[in-house]
Amino acid sequence: MTPDPWIITPGGKMPVQIPDDTDFLSFRDQCESQDGWVARYNKSGVTVWCRGEESKTVQKLKMRIVCKDVTAETLYDVLHDTSYRKKWDSNMIDTFDIGRLTVNADVGYYSWRCPHPLKNRDFVTMRSWLPLGNDYLIINYSVKHPEYPPKKDYVRAVSLLTGYLIQNNGANSCTLYYLTQVDPRGSLPKWVVNRVSQFVAPKAMKKIYKACLKYPEWKRKHDPNLKPWRYPEQNTLPSISVADLTVQRADSLENIDESAVSEEKAQHHSDDDET
């Protein structure tokens, strides 16, 4: 059994490893496995699981939704298309690609809103993708890039392993799994943890599904032939070397205590914006 490349160990800097086929297969197995997962939500075609041994800081969640009238290819495009994400992802503050590592790996930035007065979070991640048979996979984990250090007004969170598995169910249907293991770098109140599994995660899955239904029409009007995640020759990102990156270790970042923030004081912005 090979060591898990996403385990963050004490010690020196960890070199970044671009996932290979074995890593993608391992991720797919985690998505499909039921062992150790506890269902926390199961309504309207969306299921959310948590790991039974979840810690106070690192949350490991898995979600699944069946997307009728959406092809696997369309869903794959929606998850890649950062221009379209700015239209449908109302939790997002900003996202952009930093540079490419290989034909199927790049580095990018993503920031999102947390309920006030919690601090907003951001990530710098290495993302890799792979069509595998009838499936599509996208996985990422946090890295350190010398030109994108933590920002003053954000808490730099850590993705230990996050990704998507898209399974083709036939001509016009697919199943999406979303698995995420994130250290938010802060002691979050219990109500935040509960809200994520009961409200935020299901709503996010439904929002992706809704975005997929509208994507073909939107894409026809916005560079319909531009899909650099499918056609590497279209990629105009600057090339960066994996040697310039290191794995972002959680213990090297600021850890803040927000556990005393009450739900009554937190302002929840709506996730129901129309795309």
Side-chain angles (χ1 to χ4, degrees):
M1 187 174 183
T2 57
D4 189 337
W6 296 288
I7 296 296
I8 310 300
T9 57
K13 295 180 179 179
M14 289 184 63
V16 168
Q17 299 177 350
I18 296 175
D20 58 20
D21 288 3
T22 303
D23 298 317
F24 282 103
L25 289 169
S26 173
F27 178 80
R28 185 169 68 178
D29 288 344
Q30 288 191 60
C31 289
E32 295 176 335
S33 173
Q34 299 296 317
D35 295 341
W37 293 95
V38 178
R40 292 288 178 85
Y41 180 97
N42 190 6
K43 296 177 185 176
S44 305
V46 179
T47 307
V48 180
W49 296 270
C50 297
R51 290 296 291 186
E53 74 276 11
E54 63 187 357
S55 71
K56 292 182 179 179
T57 55
V58 178
Q59 292 297 307
K60 193 168 187 179
L61 294 175
K62 179 168 67 173
M63 296 147 247
R64 180 185 66 198
I65 185 171
V66 177
C67 300
K68 298 177 182 178
D69 300 316
V70 173
T71 66
E73 292 79 5
T74 294
L75 182 43
Y76 184 61
D77 290 346
V78 166
L79 294 175
H80 270 289
D81 198 329
T82 54
S83 295
Y84 187 56
R85 189 173 197 118
K86 294 171 183 177
K87 188 164 179 62
W88 64 265
D89 187 353
S90 58
N91 289 324
M92 183 190 73
I93 298 172
D94 192 18
T95 187
F96 55 85
D97 298 323
I98 294 171
R100 72 179 188 273
L101 293 165
T102 67
V103 293
N104 69 323
D106 62 17
V107 176
Y109 175 86
Y110 179 85
S111 58
W112 85 98
R113 296 179 184 88
C114 291
H116 182 79
L118 299 177
K119 285 192 172 185
N120 294 329
R121 262 66 177 177
D122 68 357
F123 292 102
V124 172
T125 61
M126 191 213 70
R127 178 182 62 168
S128 187
W129 55 93
L130 184 73
L132 198 61
N134 291 325
D135 301 338
Y136 294 93
L137 296 98
I138 305 171
I139 56 180
N140 76 58
Y141 64 91
S142 286
V143 296
K144 291 176 72 172
H145 188 291
E147 295 179 21
Y148 296 89
K151 294 183 175 184
K152 177 183 176 183
D153 296 328
Y154 292 86
V155 175
R156 178 62 51 89
V158 176
S159 167
L160 301 175
L161 172 60
T162 297
Y164 303 92
L165 166 64
I166 306 165
Q167 295 178 322
N168 191 334
N169 297 337
N172 205 30
S173 176
C174 62
T175 298
L176 172 64
Y177 285 89
Y178 174 57
L179 186 151
T180 179
Q181 185 176 11
V182 168
D183 186 337
R185 298 315 296 151
S187 300
L188 295 174
K190 185 70 175 177
W191 65 263
V192 171
V193 178
N194 291 335
R195 181 174 172 80
V196 166
S197 61
Q198 295 295 317
F199 299 100
V200 178
K203 191 167 283 189
M205 296 297 277
K206 292 174 184 176
K207 183 172 285 190
I208 291 173
Y209 180 22
K210 186 176 179 180
C212 289
L213 293 171
K214 296 184 176 184
Y215 182 71
E217 181 182 355
W218 180 90
K219 187 61 175 172
R220 278 195 290 270
K221 302 173 183 176
H222 300 83
D223 297 314
N225 297 317
L226 182 63
K227 297 181 179 181
W229 52 91
R230 288 180 179 272
Y231 311 112
E233 65 275 10
Q234 295 179 347
N235 196 322
T236 59
L237 290 173
S239 180
I240 57 178
S241 171
V242 71
D244 295 332
L245 307 171
T246 54
V247 172
Q248 176 65 73
R249 293 171 53 218
D251 58 12
S252 70
L253 292 168
E254 177 189 13
N255 193 52
I256 62 172
D257 185 359
E258 296 175 304
S259 58
V261 175
S262 68
E263 187 168 8
E264 289 74 21
K265 291 182 179 179
Q267 298 176 8
H268 304 301
H269 58 279
S270 173
D271 278 336
D272 298 322
D273 303 345
E274 291 293 325
T275 58

